[in-house]
Each structure stands twice: as C-alpha cells, then as structure tokens.
Amino acid sequence: MENWSLISLCVLLGLTTRWAVSFHSYSGAGKPPMFGDYEAQRHWQEVTYNLPVHEWYFNTTNNDLNYWGLDYPPLTAYHSLVCAYVAKLFNPEWVELHASRGYESHTHKLFMRATVLFADILIYIPAVLVYCLYFCDGSSKQKVATALCILLYPGLVLIDYGHFQYNSVSLGLALWGILGLGLGWDLFGSLAFTLALNYKQMELYHSLPFFCYLMGKCIKQGITGRGCFLLAKIALTVLVTFALCWMPFLSDPKQSLQVLHRLFPVGRGLFEDKVANTWCSLNVLIKIKTLLSSETQLFLSFALTLLFILPSSLKVLSKPTLWHFKLALVNSSLAFFLFSFQVHEKSILLAALPVCLVINEIPLIAIWFLLTSTFSMLPLLVKDGLLLPYAVTSLAFLFLSLYLLSALERTTDEELRLGLYHKLTRLPKLNLIIKWKFWFSLVAMAALSFTSVWLEPPAKLPDLFPVLVSVLSFLHFLGFIIYFNLVQLMEPPRKKSQKKTN
C-alpha cells in the first residue's frame, strides 16, 4: 500500500510540473506569419483531417509545404488525425481548412496541452515507472525517487509543454522497446521501437544499438539454430510493422519517395541555427559551409558519426547485456547529435533518454548531463518566453536529484565507473576533480544564462550569447561522449548489477 502511495505521489508531482509549465507561453504565440511549433502541430491536424492521405506530403493548392508541411513519418500524421477528430468535436473552427491558420484561443491552448498530457500518461510515464520498478537497484523508495527524477527532467518538460511538441510519444515508445528487450520480450521490444521510428525519424539515433543488441543475442543463441529462428521472427515483426504504418503510401512509389524526401531534407544543409554540435561550433572558426561542398559535408558527417558509433555498438554486439545496451544508446545518440547532418537543438533529448536510464547507477554524471542538455536549448527557450520555467525546473531538478539519489556522496572510482581508467592514468583524487568540474560547470552555465537575458550583446556580434551557449554545451557533450565510451569499453559493470542486467 505504501509503495502505491509513493508511486501516486511521484506521478502527481510529474503531472503538476508539466501542467504548470504549460500555462506559460508557447513557440510562436502571436507571431505571424509562421507562428511556431504550436501552430505546426495544429496545422498538421488541419491537413490530415481535411485532405486525402495522398496529399499529406505533397505541395498542392490546399497544402503549402512551405507553411509547416508534414516532415515526420506516417505515425505522427495518424496521431495528428486522431487529435483532429477530437478537436472537431469541441470546435470545428480549430481544424477548418485555411481559415484556421494561426488560430489562437485559451480553450484551444488547453485542448492542445491536454493532448500532450494524455500522450504522456498513456505512453511515457508508465514506461518510466515500469523501468524503475523492474530495473533499478535499491529499496522501493529509491526506485520511486529515481522515477521522480526522470519525470522531472526539465528538458523534455520544457520542450513538450512550453515550446510544444510530442517528444514523449517517440521517446516513450523507444523506452517500451528498451523495456521489452530488458525483460526478454524481444518481439514486443522490436515492435515498440519500430513504432518509435515511424513516429519520429530521429529515433535512428538509437537504431544501431537496438540492431546490435538483438543480433548479438541471436548470435549468442546460435545463428544456425534458435538464434536464426529468433532473428527471422524479429525481422518479420519489423517488416510487418513498417508495412502497416506505411500502407497508404506503398501503392504508388511516388508517394513513398515523397515521404522519404520530406523526412530527410538534405538540401537544408549541414546545420541550422545555433546547435551545440561539432559543425556549428567549428563554424565559429572555420566557415565549413563555404569551404566544403554539400557532398563533402554529407560524407564527412556520415563518416565521423559512424566512427564514433561503431566502438560502443560493436561492444554490445559482442556482449548483449542491458547495461552495455543502455551505454551504447547514450554513445550512439550523442555521436549522432555531435556529428550527423542537419541536427536540431531539440535532438539532444534523444541522448537524454538513455542517460536518464543510468541515473541510478551514475547519478552525478547523469544529473550533470541532463542539466547541460537543458542549458544547450537556452536560446530556444528564451525565444519562447520560457526563462522562468527553465530556471525553476532546472533548480528543482538539481536539488531534488542530488538529494534523493545522494549523488554527491556516490563519487568513488567504482561508482563513477572509472576504476580501470584511474589505474591507467594514476590521476590523484579523480573523484574530487570531477566534483569541482561539476560545480564550476553549473556556475558557468548559470552565469551565461543570466548574461544571455540581462545583457545586450555588442552590435557587431548580435548572436554572441547563443554562440557561447552552443560552444560551451558542445565542449560538455564532447567530454560526456568520451566519458561514456570509457565507461562502456574499459570498465565492466559491478557484480551486483551484472546479474540483474544479463
């Protein structure tokens, strides 16, 4: 009974935080002609409800692709269609073709926020609770504390409820996929992750670790025996799921090719805006877009992404345990974020999900990463008028997670998973160095957050503060990808966790 009370309290705090953030401004409110991501989600409901399926991804008289044209896979479109049917019941004006463009009202805002909250309650929050109850070590209170910290991660809350998106759907489906594989339900895990991939194409960030984990498990069972049969069942599950999701677009090759063209807009270039990745940060010193051709940029980003993904993925292929799988997910998604083509600042949420899953094992580093990932989106959050929610949720997450997970006390070499690295380098007091870096990093991020808002940049450098935010965040992420690779490749998990994660 006590456990259920703790779980209920955890969920209530998570939902309250989400709903409180939703009362603040959203992306593009009152800013014609494009408005923002809130309008994009509403517009997709308008398009999917009023137009036939074969027009959803094509530029037509009734579907101007330059005005928030659909650029996500079919499952996102189907979700928009379901929301549109519900919206029509409340007020037909919300999804009226053409006339509803830029529609804004208090009632409609409540409806849109409720759709995000419903998706959270249906998909993401249950997945978090199941993960913590089944796969986190410690007492019931510690498991609930871990769940609370994951649910209060400010990055996802601010983007989904402030900026306005449905990232919790794709991340929740991916988490159900991880749960399926962890519980030995490989077909369910494959189904869930395939649905995640068909909701947002950015789930490709997680795809190679999923493939290597399942392939490693098949090889372990005997590739000519049980393993071959398992591989066939997984392949069939994935193919059937893809076929069902894409069925309306498979009858005509032009349809499926147009959808793919919308999903992977190579013509947009290597990067846009001020993203905390390699290319945007390097562009401060070297104008990559000017010096290199588009083909060279594409090849270079592909090669570097693959180079940084392979070590951890090959590790999970040779040793398919849940621990190595989670670390491979972190390393893969970080490599994609840092080196791949056409990255958005919100894509860091894909790396944040697997980091949330190791917050109980490596609390200090995970908390540090999650705060940095939120900070990296500061220019976007300031633009959307979310500075106050950003400050409050970040501080609440920092102090609650440090206290509930005893993060500052759990910093021995073993708990930081750097025992072998420490022996090789013989650095004195490595744990103290990491603690000092943690606090220095927080002070630097807080100072830059303050100056970004309260100080005017020089007239000749109007983008000074966004660039500083992206470069500082990039340096952090570069350190994190080195750390997580070291943990996975050099230090095996502790014996206590090994039994549980195999």
Side-chain angles (χ1 to χ4, degrees):
M1 191 68 180
E2 183 185 358
N3 291 346
W4 283 111
S5 300
L6 289 171
I7 292 170
S8 301
L9 180 61
C10 169
V11 173
L12 182 62
L13 285 171
L15 294 177
T16 303
T17 304
R18 283 158 165 75
W19 197 245
V21 169
S22 72
F23 280 98
H24 287 263
S25 180
Y26 51 80
S27 173
K31 296 177 182 178
M34 293 301 289
F35 300 94
D37 273 28
Y38 176 92
E39 167 63 9
Q41 303 293 338
R42 189 217 58 78
H43 179 63
W44 294 345
Q45 294 175 20
E46 171 197 346
V47 167
T48 54
Y49 183 83
N50 291 287
L51 301 182
V53 176
H54 67 267
E55 288 188 29
W56 287 358
Y57 291 92
F58 278 87
N59 197 52
T60 65
T61 307
N62 291 321
N63 186 22
D64 181 6
L65 292 183
N66 291 319
Y67 184 80
W68 299 118
L70 260 171
D71 53 5
Y72 285 114
L75 209 56
T76 289
Y78 304 149
H79 178 210
S80 296
L81 181 60
V82 171
C83 291
Y85 273 104
V86 180
K88 181 82 172 179
L89 295 175
F90 285 97
N91 189 341
E93 292 181 1
W94 294 351
V95 290
E96 188 176 348
L97 190 62
H98 301 310
S100 62
R101 180 173 289 195
Y103 189 95
E104 292 178 341
S105 73
H106 179 68
T107 310
H108 185 252
K109 181 181 175 181
L110 286 176
F111 167 76
M112 294 291 278
R113 299 306 192 200
T115 62
V116 181
L117 191 65
F118 180 77
D120 243 352
I121 294 171
L122 187 67
I123 300 172
Y124 184 72
I125 293 176
V128 170
L129 294 175
V130 171
Y131 173 81
C132 291
L133 292 175
Y134 276 90
F135 294 107
C136 289
D137 293 332
S139 64
S140 298
K141 288 183 179 179
Q142 189 174 349
K143 292 179 179 184
V144 173
T146 304
L148 179 61
C149 292
I150 295 174
L151 292 178
L152 292 182
Y153 164 53
L156 182 59
V157 175
L158 291 167
I159 292 299
D160 274 15
Y161 290 86
H163 181 74
F164 198 86
Q165 285 191 339
Y166 295 95
N167 291 289
S168 60
V169 176
S170 58
L171 295 177
L173 289 170
L175 182 49
W176 279 112
I178 296 166
L179 286 168
L181 269 55
L183 292 167
W185 303 342
D186 297 324
L187 299 186
F188 173 78
S190 302
L191 169 67
F193 180 69
T194 306
L195 290 174
L197 192 55
N198 278 284
Y199 191 87
K200 284 201 173 184
Q201 65 270 34
M202 284 81 76
E203 279 299 328
L204 283 168
Y205 286 28
H206 297 145
S207 57
L208 192 57
F210 266 89
F211 172 80
C212 289
Y213 178 88
L214 289 167
M215 181 59 74
K217 189 170 182 180
C218 292
I219 293 171
K220 202 172 180 181
Q221 292 186 9
I223 199 63
T224 57
R226 287 174 55 202
C228 182
F229 183 57
L230 175 61
L231 182 61
K233 290 193 294 183
I234 291 169
L236 183 63
T237 301
V238 172
L239 289 172
V240 169
T241 307
F242 260 103
L244 289 173
C245 290
W246 284 69
M247 188 176 291
F249 309 97
L250 295 178
S251 58
D252 183 358
K254 290 182 180 178
Q255 285 283 328
S256 50
L257 287 174
Q258 175 64 9
V259 177
L260 290 173
H261 175 71
R262 293 294 300 163
L263 299 187
F264 302 103
V266 178
R268 289 186 185 176
L270 188 59
F271 62 88
E272 290 179 309
D273 297 326
K274 304 298 182 289
V275 183
N277 74 347
T278 302
W279 311 119
C280 188
S281 301
L282 195 59
N283 196 64
V284 176
L285 302 174
I286 305 170
K287 301 305 176 186
I288 302 169
K289 285 187 174 182
T290 307
L291 292 174
L292 303 176
S293 66
S294 298
E295 293 77 14
T296 305
Q297 293 172 32
L298 187 61
F299 173 77
L300 192 59
S301 65
F302 174 78
L304 282 174
T305 304
L306 189 63
L307 180 66
F308 274 81
I309 285 174
L310 277 179
S312 63
S313 295
L314 291 175
K315 180 72 174 183
V316 80
L317 179 67
S318 63
K319 196 170 184 179
T321 65
L322 183 60
W323 171 250
H324 286 294
F325 177 46
K326 290 189 292 186
L327 290 174
L329 288 168
V330 176
N331 290 320
S332 175
S333 49
L334 258 180
F336 266 98
F337 181 81
L338 288 172
F339 303 107
S340 67
F341 201 87
Q342 188 55 224
V343 172
H344 293 271
E345 59 269 71
K346 293 160 285 190
S347 299
I348 195 60
L349 297 177
L350 290 146
L353 173 68
V355 172
C356 283
L357 304 186
V358 298
I359 196 171
N360 192 47
E361 290 89 351
I362 322 173
L364 185 65
I365 303 297
I367 292 165
W368 191 358
F369 177 91
L370 295 172
L371 288 169
T372 305
S373 67
T374 306
F375 168 76
S376 72
M377 298 183 284
L378 179 65
L380 179 68
L381 300 174
V382 171
K383 183 181 176 182
D384 291 341
L386 295 169
L387 180 66
L388 181 60
Y390 159 74
V392 172
T393 55
S394 295
L395 287 171
F397 175 78
L398 170 64
F399 291 114
L400 271 174
S401 54
L402 287 178
Y403 171 72
L404 292 174
L405 302 176
S406 305
L408 293 173
E409 289 77 42
R410 297 168 61 186
T411 54
T412 63
D413 290 343
E414 183 188 0
E415 286 166 321
L416 290 171
R417 309 296 173 115
L418 288 174
L420 183 57
Y421 175 76
H422 195 184
K423 289 177 184 176
L424 292 174
T425 59
R426 297 183 180 179
L427 284 173
K429 299 181 179 179
L430 182 61
N431 58 337
L432 286 178
I433 293 173
I434 289 176
K435 275 187 184 180
W436 278 108
K437 283 185 176 181
F438 171 73
W439 288 116
F440 178 78
S441 167
L442 292 188
V443 170
M445 289 190 286
L448 193 49
S449 298
F450 178 82
T451 53
S452 295
V453 177
W454 298 107
L455 294 183
E456 286 291 329
K460 293 183 179 180
L461 300 170
D463 293 329
L464 175 64
F465 294 128
V467 168
L468 288 176
V469 169
S470 67
V471 171
L472 179 60
S473 302
F474 161 71
L475 293 173
H476 278 77
F477 294 143
L478 201 59
F480 284 124
I481 196 172
I482 293 170
Y483 168 81
F484 282 112
N485 270 284
L486 283 173
V487 171
Q488 185 181 3
L489 301 176
M490 297 184 68
E491 182 76 1
R494 291 174 292 180
K495 291 180 180 179
K496 181 180 178 182
S497 298
Q498 183 69 30
K499 184 178 179 182
K500 193 166 192 171
T501 57
N502 271 298

